[in-house]
Amino acid sequence: MSTIIAVTNQKGGVGKTTSSSALLAALHDKDFRVLGIDLDPQGSLGFCLGLDIENCFTIYDVLKGNKTAAEVIVPTDCGDILPSNILLSGAELEFNRPGREFLLKQHLADLRDNYDFIIIDTPPALNVLTVNAYVVADSLIIPMAPEILSLLGVAQIRETIDTVRRCYNSRLKVLGILLNKFNPRLNLNQEVLEMSEQIAQQLGTRVFESKIRASVSVAEAPAHGESVLTYAPRSKPAADFQALVDEILEQETAPDTGA
């Protein structure tokens, strides 16, 4: 059965989609069977990997019950993708029946054995889509930029995580906080690192040793329909994401001590 990781932060612009696409590419490069799910109505994950998100079936059709997940999946060079587009923006109003928190989990039930890893790119909001991701996920990765407002977004996630653990998914864990656009030579970056380590302790997790360094290649890659790993495989961010995946794999395969 697959390991499901949701990449989440209610703050926008922190690198959720960049991180999701890079994780997919790095895991796919290691011969893992991977599926990316875009739960953001902006459709950035599919767009960044070269899909025509306005002219294909999407996760919206799956959640509505019009299509099965298997019918909507699109293959890419970085693995399979369940894309999204602006139609998903009405989810909060449309999916209002009891049990709506379990919609994604129900539709993925028949797919989990087909993949080693499923990566979910969540919207920049703590809404029904984000809760659906938390309910089905085994673990969370919380990317953040080295900015004070980004820290605030991370701190506010805790209440949602606690609610999901209490009501829907007691096994949900936080793998770690991921610092994007990181420059260790800047004082603000070091200050944010120290504060993020404090927040990580509150969440019962840690800040990943791997920090993703800033590079123009990260911004250029989506315009070419690629992840940064396939667009600029020798760039510093590509190396950082490869190191991050190694760190995640080591963490995921480590024996559970019950601590």
Side-chain angles (χ1 to χ4, degrees):
M1 184 176 288
S2 56
T3 297
I4 301 181
I5 301 173
V7 181
T8 183
N9 190 327
Q10 72 168 15
K11 177 78 169 59
V14 297
K16 288 188 296 292
T17 300
T18 297
S19 300
S20 297
S21 62
L23 287 172
L24 288 167
L27 289 165
H28 184 265
D29 192 49
K30 292 180 180 294
D31 294 324
F32 288 107
R33 299 169 300 165
V34 295
L35 170 66
I37 300 176
D38 194 350
L39 280 188
D40 188 346
Q42 296 178 77
S44 299
L45 182 61
F47 175 81
C48 289
L49 295 177
L51 302 187
D52 181 3
I53 61 172
E54 301 305 326
N55 294 289
C56 66
F57 293 111
T58 69
I59 188 66
Y60 173 76
D61 298 290
V62 176
L63 298 178
K64 287 280 286 184
N66 299 330
K67 292 286 182 179
T68 67
E71 291 174 318
V72 173
I73 287 172
V74 181
T76 75
D77 291 339
C78 297
D80 291 345
I81 301 294
L82 268 172
S84 171
N85 62 26
I86 195 63
L87 291 175
L88 195 58
S89 60
E92 196 72 34
L93 296 176
E94 287 193 63
F95 306 134
N96 56 12
R97 63 182 185 269
R100 65 180 188 160
E101 298 87 359
F102 296 92
L103 278 173
L104 184 61
K105 184 174 184 177
Q106 293 165 359
H107 287 292
L108 291 184
D110 294 334
L111 285 179
R112 290 199 63 164
D113 288 338
N114 298 342
Y115 298 96
D116 300 306
F117 286 91
I118 297 176
I119 306 296
I120 305 175
D121 187 18
T122 63
L126 296 177
N127 58 17
V128 66
L129 295 171
T130 303
V131 170
N132 263 263
Y134 288 14
V135 168
V136 74
D138 300 298
S139 55
L140 307 176
I141 290 176
I142 304 176
M144 57 172 287
E147 303 165 354
I148 299 301
L149 289 179
S150 182
L151 271 173
L152 181 62
V154 174
Q156 292 172 339
I157 287 176
R158 181 179 179 180
E159 183 177 346
T160 303
I161 294 173
D162 289 344
T163 299
V164 169
R165 283 173 173 162
R166 185 171 61 252
C167 300
Y168 309 116
N169 181 6
S170 60
R171 58 184 172 76
L172 181 66
K173 63 182 179 180
V174 182
L175 278 182
I177 294 174
L178 174 65
L179 287 174
N180 278 316
K181 308 174 187 176
F182 190 72
N183 185 341
R185 293 174 294 181
L186 298 180
N187 289 336
L188 177 60
N189 284 224
Q190 289 296 336
E191 292 172 6
V192 170
L193 173 58
E194 292 176 6
M195 288 186 282
S196 64
E197 287 172 342
Q198 295 173 12
I199 292 175
Q201 288 183 348
Q202 297 171 14
L203 292 172
T205 188
R206 65 195 180 105
V207 178
F208 284 111
E209 291 294 330
S210 305
K211 316 291 191 297
I212 312 303
R213 288 166 287 183
S215 170
V216 68
S217 59
V218 174
E220 291 175 345
H224 296 266
E226 297 185 56
S227 79
V228 67
L229 272 78
T230 55
Y231 174 70
R234 294 182 177 83
S235 65
K236 291 178 180 178
D240 297 336
F241 277 117
Q242 291 284 10
L244 173 66
V245 164
D246 290 338
E247 195 173 343
I248 291 170
L249 291 174
E250 182 179 354
Q251 191 169 339
E252 285 293 282
T253 56
D256 188 353
T257 61

